[in-house]
Amino acid sequence: MSTMLEFSEIRNKLRNTLSEQRYEHTLGVAYTASAMAMRYGSSMEQAMLAGLLHDCAKYLSKEESIALLNENGQKPTEIEKINPVLLHARCGTIVARKEYGIYDEKVLHAILVHTTGEPNMNLLDKIIYVADYIEPNRDQAPHLDRLRNLAFVSLDKALAMILRDTVDYLQITGKPIDPRTMDAYTYYRNVEEI
Ligand code: DGI
Ligand code: FE
Ligand code: FE
C-alpha cells in the first residue's frame, strides 16, 4: 500500500475489521475531533484521519500485536505485556501505515499517544486524546457532561481532568500505570491554560 486511501475507503475497511461497536466509536471520535479542530483552528482533515484510525489495530489479539511489533523491529514493554490494551496504540501506527497508507507523521503521532498521552502534546494529539474520551457513544466515565462542555472551552483543562480521572481509575482498580500516562498526568496536573 503506498497511496493514502479515500475517507470512504478507510471507513469501509474499518467497518470490515472492527466490531460494530468499535466502528461506531471510531466514527464518534472522528466527528468529535473534527468539531474540535474547527473550534481550535487545527486541520479538520488530520483530525478526521487520526480520529478514524486511532483504534485501527484494536482487532488484533495480544499475541498478534506483539508479533506485529516484532516484525517491525519493535518490542513490547513489560507494562504493555501485562496490560495488552496499551499495545493497540503503537500497533495502530504500524497498521495505519501499512494497511491505510498513512504517512502523515502528525496523524501517526496522535494515534501513538492516544491511549496514554505524553507530556507536551501537540494540538492534534490533545484533540484526539480528548475526543476519544467524550465522543457521544461513551457513557461510563465520570464527569462526562462537564468534560463535553470543557473540551470546547479549554482543551488543556479538559485534558488535565481526563488524565486525573484516568490515573484515579487505574489506582482504584489496581492496574499498573504506564510511565507515559504518569508523565502526562504530572505535566498537565497544574496546567491552567497553555
Ligand atoms: O481504545 P479505547 O477503549 O477507545 O480507549 P483508549 O485507547 O484510551 O484505552 C483506554 C484504556 O486504556 C482504559 O481502559 C484505560 C487504559 N489505560 C490508559 N493508560 C493506562 C491504561 N491502562 C493501564 N493499565 N495503564 C495505563 O497507564
Ligand atoms: Fe484506543
Ligand atoms: Fe478509542
Side-chain angles (χ1 to χ4, degrees):
M1 175 84 48
S2 55
T3 52
M4 195 188 112
L5 300 179
E6 302 283 338
F7 281 141
S8 61
E9 293 174 299
I10 292 176
R11 279 204 307 270
N12 284 338
K13 203 162 164 149
L14 288 167
R15 197 188 294 114
N16 290 331
T17 49
L18 301 177
S19 71
E20 196 179 332
Q21 211 184 0
R22 181 62 49 184
Y23 178 66
E24 290 298 325
H25 160 71
T26 286
L27 293 184
V29 175
Y31 288 120
T32 302
S34 301
M36 292 174 72
M38 295 177 202
R39 160 68 179 88
Y40 291 106
S42 185
S43 155
M44 207 174 63
E45 193 186 2
Q46 286 179 324
M48 192 74 157
L49 267 180
L52 282 173
L53 291 167
H54 80 285
D55 279 340
C56 71
K58 204 81 180 185
Y59 68 95
L60 295 171
S61 67
K62 174 184 175 181
E63 290 69 30
E64 289 168 335
S65 299
I66 292 173
L68 183 68
L69 288 181
N70 289 335
E71 282 161 25
N72 287 274
Q74 300 183 40
K75 271 194 205 143
T77 62
E78 283 309 309
I79 206 150
E80 283 173 335
K81 281 193 260 181
I82 302 166
N83 303 275
V85 67
L86 296 171
L87 287 164
H88 78 283
R90 278 166 73 197
C91 287
T93 67
I94 298 170
V95 173
R97 267 200 197 88
K98 297 207 160 160
E99 300 293 328
Y100 293 87
I102 304 297
Y103 292 91
D104 182 333
E105 288 299 328
K106 264 187 85 179
V107 171
L108 294 171
H109 190 262
I111 296 171
L112 179 67
V113 302
H114 89 267
T115 302
T116 59
E118 70 175 16
N120 199 17
M121 285 185 265
N122 68 40
L123 180 56
L124 183 65
D125 297 339
K126 293 177 189 177
I127 287 175
I128 297 301
Y129 186 88
V130 172
D132 193 17
Y133 204 85
I134 65 166
E135 67 90 4
N137 299 294
R138 291 279 199 209
D139 59 4
Q140 297 295 321
H143 306 131
L144 269 180
D145 286 347
R146 251 186 91 191
L147 280 167
R148 284 179 171 139
N149 176 275
L150 198 54
F152 289 87
V153 176
S154 167
L155 187 54
D156 286 304
K157 284 184 189 170
L159 183 62
M161 190 182 252
I162 294 172
L163 283 163
R164 195 186 61 217
D165 286 349
T166 300
V167 168
D168 282 353
Y169 164 80
L170 293 170
Q171 278 171 344
I172 288 164
T173 52
K175 292 187 182 145
I177 300 176
D178 190 284
R180 292 168 292 183
T181 305
M182 197 40 102
D183 289 349
Y185 165 71
T186 307
Y187 184 90
Y188 287 103
R189 187 168 39 185
N190 299 315
V191 168
E192 280 299 307
E193 202 83 44
I194 287 179

